[in-house]
Every structure is written in C-alpha cells, then in structure tokens.
Amino acid sequence: LKSDDYPRVIERYRHHYFAGEEAVVLFDGVRPGLESLMARGHLLAVATGKSRRGLDQILETTGLGPLFHGTRCGDEGFPKPHPEMLEILLDTFGVGRDAALMIGDTTHDLEMAKAAGVDGLAVTYGAHDAAKLAAAAPLASVHTPAELWQWLERNG
C-alpha cells in the first residue's frame, strides 16, 4: 500500500464502518445495568479508541448517550494505552484514581488504566479473549454482563 492510497483506504473503511452502525445490538442487561449504576450515584464515562463521530452515532443509535456524564475519543488526543483520555475524565469530574474503575474488553483498556493509576476490570465478552486480558493483570475478569453487574454490586 502506497501512502497516496491512505486517504482512499480511510474513506472506504469509514464508509463500511458507519454502514454497519445501525446493526449495533447491546449485550443483554447493559441498559438496566448502566441505569442502576447511574441511579446509585456513580459517574459513568466512556474512553474509546473510536472517533468522536463514531461514538456519537453509537450513543444516539443505542439511546445510551444520556447515561454517560462524559466521553473521550481516540481522535481527541493520544490513543490507548496512553492514559490521557482517562486522566482528562478523572480531572474533569474531580475523581481520584483510587475511586475510579476502568472496565475494558481489550488489553489497551487495561494498560491505559494501569498507566493512569486506576484499577482495571476485564470483560471477556468483547474484543480480546480471556487469556489475553488475564496477561494484562486486571483486578478481576468477568465473562457476562450479568457477572459484571454482580461484581460491581459486591465491589462498587
């Protein structure tokens, strides 16, 4: 691939990526779990490698936007595993690192948490498998959304 081809490849990637966004389906229990956390007074935020446009579209399509107090995207600064996204969210909301939890489905998420001095919880039902996530030394690993909500109820 020549550098002259990059803009065309990026445009085609975006075309196909956004064409599938309407097919986004939430894992069972995600909405009630997030609503429960919010009702209990937790601040919820997203730190994603997605672009701002991509995240905004997903939050609108799923209707989850109002459940999050803040968001940071990969095109707004340093990419994961650099801790900047997480540090900005913590600073914005005045949350100490010891009072925060990064829940992630990739090693990049867990490495970002570690770099920011925040505990990381692995969810194995996303992008990276359990063995790969375990190698990043998370606080714990959960394998279903139901396990996630149970873990948070016991530990959060």
Side-chain angles (χ1 to χ4, degrees):
L1 187 66
K2 295 181 233 154
S3 61
D4 292 350
D5 294 329
Y6 291 169
R8 185 176 55 78
V9 170
I10 291 168
E11 187 281 322
R12 294 313 303 158
Y13 173 83
R14 285 187 177 138
H15 168 78
H16 291 288
Y17 177 84
F18 286 113
E21 284 300 300
E22 284 122 28
V24 171
V25 177
L26 297 176
F27 289 105
D28 287 340
V30 167
R31 182 181 310 279
L34 291 171
E35 289 169 346
S36 174
L37 290 172
M38 181 177 254
R40 290 180 9 220
H42 292 285
L43 295 174
L44 306 177
V46 174
T48 181
K50 288 182 177 15
S51 69
R52 170 56 56 196
R53 180 177 166 211
L55 177 61
D56 287 348
Q57 185 168 344
I58 286 173
L59 292 176
E60 183 178 329
T61 300
T62 61
L64 295 179
L67 298 178
F68 293 99
H69 298 87
T71 60
R72 293 295 299 172
C73 296
D75 60 357
E76 297 171 336
F78 292 105
K80 294 176 188 179
H82 192 283
E84 182 189 53
M85 281 189 271
L86 196 47
E87 291 170 340
I88 288 172
L89 289 165
L90 293 171
D91 291 346
T92 298
F93 297 107
V95 174
R97 279 140 178 74
D98 61 334
L101 177 67
M102 174 68 188
I103 301 169
D105 68 341
T106 70
T107 57
H108 307 297
D109 296 327
L110 300 173
E111 291 166 3
M112 178 179 67
K114 189 175 290 183
V118 170
D119 285 332
L121 177 67
V123 293
T124 63
Y125 50 89
H128 290 169
D129 65 39
K132 193 170 189 176
L133 291 167
L139 183 63
S141 294
V142 296
H143 309 290
T144 67
E147 283 184 40
L148 171 61
W149 308 128
Q150 291 167 2
W151 190 94
L152 292 171
E153 186 70 33
R154 285 190 313 272
N155 298 283

